Amino acid sequence: MSETKEPTWWERLGVRWPWRGAQSAPRPAHPKTAFVLAGGGSRGAVQIGMLAELVARGVKADRVYGASVGAINGAAYAGNPTAEGVEQMEEIWRNLTGAEIFPRSALDGPWLFFQKRPSVHANTGLRAIIEAGVHFENLENSIVPFELVTTSLTDGRERWIAHGNAVEAILASSAIPSIFPPVTIDGDVLVDGGVVNNVPISRAIAAGCTRIFVLLCGPLHYHPRQPRRPAEAALTAFFVAIHARFVRELTDLPPGVEVVVFSGGGEPASQYRDFSGTATMIAEGRAEVAEVLDRYVGTSHDLTEESVPAR
C-alpha cells in the first residue's frame, strides 16, 4: 500500500500557517478551537459560506471572536452553531440590499459626509438585521462562548465585550466610523472594532486556543489599488494599517498554536452599499473551505478529525 503523501510546507503556506515550534511543542490530542471572524463590510457574506462548510464537515468552535461584520456573523453562529442556524443567516444575507443597511436620505452623494451629524447613516437597518439573526439577549447567553472587539473613542484602546446586551454590543463593533453612529456602553463611546484589531487572533491565543480558524473577507496579502482621490487614499491607508497588525501577529505565533486562514478571495466592493455579489461570495467561501479541508484529509494535519470539546 502506498504511503499517503503529506502536503509540502510550500503547499501549506498559501492557506494555513504552519505550526510554530512544532518540535518542542507536540500537537495536542484535542485542540481548543477558535473561530475568528474579521471585518470586511459587504464581503462578510463570504464568511457565511465558510461557516456552512465548517459546520457540514463537523468542525466545531470552542470559542468565537468577531470584529465588525465578523461580530454579526460570529454572534449568529455562536447562538446557533448548527446547519439550520447558518442557513438562516444565509437567507438573511441573500435578501440584503444596500438600501436596508444604509438607508438613503434626501441629501445623497458626497455631501452626506459634510453634514453636521455623527454619521452618514442611521443604524436602524443594521439593528434590524442583527435582531433577525441573533437569538439571545445577552452575550453570555450564547451557546458557544463569544466575544467581540470594539474601539473606544474615550481612550483609543480596543475594548472587548463578552457580557451584556448583545444587540448593542454588536452594533458598537459594527459602527464603521462616519458611516454609522458610535454606540455608548457603560459611559464609553465605541465604534468599529476593526479600527484597532480587525482580525483578533491575539484574543484567541490569550484564551489558550491552540487551533484557530480565521475567516477573512478578503485576500491574506493586501494589494491596494492606486487611490485616485484624497478620500480613497485615506481609506487605503486605513486598510493597510489594520491589515498590517494581523500579518505581524501571524509571524510571531507562540509554540503549539496552529492558525488556518481562509482568505475570502476578492477585493472590497468599490461601493460600500453594494450587495450584488452576495450569492457568489457565499459559494466562494464554501468552496475555499472545502478545498482546504480536503487537502489534509488522511494526513497528520487532518482538520476534520473528531475531537473532544475543550473546557
Side-chain angles (χ1 to χ4, degrees), residues 215-237:
L215 284 63
L216 299 179
C217 299
L220 176 61
H221 301 289
Y222 182 57
H223 301 291
R225 299 172 183 171
Q226 187 68 28
R228 294 176 297 176
R229 302 177 181 86
E232 291 177 356
L235 284 173
T236 297

Side-chain angles (χ1 to χ4, degrees), residues 4-262:
T4 302
K5 185 174 183 289
E6 298 245 348
T8 66
W9 181 85
W10 287 104
E11 289 172 333
R12 293 200 300 267
L13 182 60
V15 290
R16 68 185 295 185
W17 210 260
W19 279 69
R20 191 173 175 84
Q23 294 182 348
S24 59
R27 187 183 196 191
H30 304 297
K32 184 176 180 180
T33 301
F35 288 178
V36 174
L37 290 86
S42 62
R43 285 201 58 83
V46 76
Q47 294 175 338
I48 300 301
M50 294 173 180
L51 288 169
E53 190 64 21
L54 287 168
V55 169
R57 299 296 188 99
V59 180
K60 301 176 182 179
D62 301 302
R63 300 284 189 278
V64 180
Y65 303 91
S68 197
V69 72
I72 299 173
N73 292 332
Y77 168 83
N80 189 358
T82 66
E84 292 74 20
V86 178
E87 285 170 7
Q88 182 184 30
M89 277 303 292
E90 180 174 337
E91 183 178 355
I92 291 172
W93 268 96
R94 286 182 182 276
N95 291 304
L96 278 183
T97 64
E100 285 181 88
I101 307 273
F102 309 104
R104 296 178 182 272
S105 67
L107 181 66
D108 200 28
W111 296 110
L112 285 171
F113 291 87
F114 295 96
Q115 299 178 93
K116 289 185 177 181
R117 53 192 292 182
S119 64
V120 171
H121 302 287
N123 62 11
T124 50
L126 183 61
R127 178 185 292 274
I129 298 302
I130 295 169
E131 290 175 344
V134 178
H135 303 295
F136 50 89
E137 183 176 355
N138 295 315
L139 294 178
E140 62 269 28
N141 301 140
S142 62
I143 294 174
V144 181
F146 172 69
E147 295 183 59
L148 57 80
V149 64
T150 65
T151 301
S152 171
L153 292 185
T154 305
D155 57 19
R157 300 180 182 180
E158 65 183 74
R159 176 178 170 183
W160 282 89
I161 305 178
H163 299 85
N165 186 276
V167 173
E168 292 302 313
I170 297 168
L171 278 174
S173 184
S174 309
I176 305 169
S178 80
I179 301 297
F180 290 125
V183 176
T184 301
I185 297 178
D186 297 332
D188 201 358
V189 181
L190 306 171
V191 295
D192 197 318
V195 173
V196 287
N197 198 351
N198 196 50
V199 193
I201 61 172
S202 54
R203 188 72 172 184
I205 293 170
C209 296
T210 53
R211 176 181 287 171
I212 303 171
F213 290 92
V214 176
L215 284 63
L216 299 179
C217 299
L220 176 61
H221 301 289
Y222 182 57
H223 301 291
R225 299 172 183 171
Q226 187 68 28
R228 294 176 297 176
R229 302 177 181 86
E232 291 177 356
L235 284 173
T236 297
F238 171 69
F239 283 120
V240 167
I242 64 175
H243 193 78
R245 173 171 178 171
F246 175 50
V247 173
R248 287 196 304 271
E249 290 180 346
L250 272 183
T251 62
D252 194 29
L253 296 175
V257 173
E258 181 181 36
V259 175
V260 183
V261 179
F262 302 119

Side-chain angles (χ1 to χ4, degrees), residues 263-311:
S263 72
E267 301 289 342
S270 58
Q271 293 289 328
Y272 66 87
R273 290 186 287 201
D274 183 7
F275 286 82
S276 61
T278 293
T280 299
M281 285 185 279
I282 291 173
E284 290 174 347
R286 187 155 198 163
E288 181 182 0
V289 171
E291 191 277 330
V292 173
L293 298 185
D294 285 345
R295 183 176 301 182
Y296 297 96
V297 170
T299 75
S300 62
H301 292 278
D302 195 329
L303 299 172
T304 59
E305 58 192 359
E306 199 70 29
S307 63
V308 176
R311 298 185 184 277

